[in-house]
Amino acid sequence: MKNTLIMHLLITAAIVFLTSITAFAERFSIEESFTHPVKIPAAIQSRLNAEMGEDIKHCEDVRPDTRYEAQMVKLSQSLSAYLLKPTNFCLCGVYYCPVWLYQMQGTQARRIWSTPATGNLEIMPAKTNGYHQLKEFGGTAGHGYKSVWSWNGKQYQEVYRQTYMTGSKACADVETFRLKSGKLVSVSNECLEELPAP
């Protein structure tokens, strides 16, 4: 009886612990609006418009103040940042959109991460230097990728990438890259029957 009670308490504690670890993971898709949108500071809006430059011409029927949407995300105990993405696919490719993370320092906007094209972004429970890691991923039936980014003390840096491509073979070409000496280098290239999970 005593052993059964102890076992039950240990299992309950393990479930609570695992739930608390996985509960933090936040996933955002370019196809879905943010659930808790916030107003975009003028400094960030200006930086985005400058960065998107020529692409904005494809959005002439979209009001400038509605081109992007933002949500606050917590990246560490002390840092919350603006996660931004286009609201309209005129700034996107077929399957991917640009996504940014900006930090406000007084009236100045500082970009701490961006990608020119992704389908999904996840803020992971795992941390590096006290900051949550980021995972971005996307793809189609024929090709795709996933990348993991870690905080290097000043900004996010890509530390892992995996790409896949299917073709006429009965398997998918999967290439894996890892950060070594400041550069992403290929560490494996395999032909797998099943694609890795995103």
Side-chain angles (χ1 to χ4, degrees), residues 24-45:
F24 181 81
E26 291 183 275
R27 186 176 283 190
F28 303 94
S29 168
I30 60 163
E31 297 175 359
E32 298 171 6
S33 295
F34 288 139
T35 54
H36 304 289
V38 296
K39 182 174 172 51
I40 302 172
I44 294 177
Q45 187 88 31

Side-chain angles (χ1 to χ4, degrees), residues 1-7:
M1 177 78 171
K2 185 177 177 183
N3 287 344
T4 305
L5 180 61
I6 291 172
M7 184 62 76

Side-chain angles (χ1 to χ4, degrees), residues 15 51 58 65 77 79 81 85 115 126 150 157 181 185 192:
I15 290 171
E51 183 175 333
H58 301 291
D65 61 332
Q77 290 284 25
L79 176 64
K85 67 181 183 69
T115 182
S150 293
Q157 178 178 28
S181 302
V185 295
L192 302 178

